[in-house]
Amino acid sequence: MSPRRNRPPKGAGSSGESADEDRSGRYGGWQATESWQGEEWSVRHVAGASAQGKTYRCPGCDQLIPSGVPHVVAWPEHSGVDERRHWHKACWNAKDRRTSRVQRSRNAPRF
């Protein structure tokens, strides 16, 4: 029996992938474009190993995404990466079913 090969076979490296696709693979996930609320969004899936030592707040549920947990990073394509937001995968998938939750302090007036 021959030993296992950990490299791709010769000729498999020229698959025609762009530099963007190669770069997204470096961070442990893949990137796609999705349409939401009439806008195109860039969505990158982040592996847990890429998120070691970092915590984020999910805009879908307003809870913390702990260090090392796989999640989704999304941003509107027209605004660029400065608008990136980190979401739990389940929250991103349920974004159309969620209602907007207005959080107020106890003394805030209810309009």
Side-chain angles (χ1 to χ4, degrees):
M1 190 156 103
S2 61
R4 180 176 175 210
R5 293 180 61 174
N6 290 331
R7 330 177 223 135
K10 290 181 181 179
S14 60
S15 62
E17 293 180 358
S18 69
D20 290 336
E21 291 174 13
D22 181 42
R23 194 177 321 124
S24 67
R26 257 183 242 167
Y27 298 106
W30 52 272
Q31 185 168 333
T33 302
E34 294 184 23
S35 181
W36 180 48
Q37 294 182 341
E39 292 184 86
E40 294 296 316
W41 288 68
S42 294
V43 179
R44 180 175 290 165
H45 294 261
V46 178
S50 299
Q52 283 295 100
K54 304 171 191 171
T55 59
Y56 303 100
R57 184 159 304 270
C58 175
C61 65
D62 201 33
Q63 300 295 314
L64 286 179
I65 301 173
S67 172
V69 173
H71 60 278
V72 174
V73 179
W75 65 94
E77 281 194 344
H78 72 282
S79 65
V81 294
D82 291 338
E83 296 296 319
R84 286 183 296 199
R85 296 294 175 260
H86 296 255
W87 296 68
H88 292 105
K89 287 183 180 183
C91 294
W92 177 255
N93 293 335
K95 64 190 174 296
D96 293 326
R97 296 188 303 265
R98 293 185 178 272
T99 60
S100 61
R101 296 183 185 181
V102 178
Q103 295 185 356
R104 302 180 183 92
S105 67
R106 289 185 180 184
N107 300 333
R110 295 182 184 237
F111 293 98

